[in-house]
Amino acid sequence: MIGDKAVRRASQWCYQGTWLIVTRWLKVPEEPPHLRGADDQLVRSFRPADGYLRYLKFYFWLGLLALDVCLIIGWLILLIALPL
């Protein structure tokens, strides 16, 4: 899907820019730490499945939509109760 690739590329660009700012501001190394003394054969790294990440993203947008609806209702109540 073309849109999915564009979204992934844009999110990676934003993440890399944010990470660059954080590493320079907090003066932390850009590379992940290396476990000293650990046998590299025993250390394994895991990433969540793409479906799980889409699931989390769906609930994020659902929560953000609920927050936006609450804010709009609050503004409407204030607009009606206290007109200019």
Side-chain angles (χ1 to χ4, degrees), residues 7 10 14 20 22 25-26 32 40 48 50 69 74:
V7 169
C14 289
L20 184 66
V22 168
W25 188 47
L26 297 176
D40 289 336
D50 287 336
V69 167

Side-chain angles (χ1 to χ4, degrees), residues 34-35 37-46:
H34 179 70
L35 299 175
D39 185 12
D40 289 336
Q41 300 296 329
L42 300 176
V43 177
R44 296 189 310 180
S45 174
F46 295 97

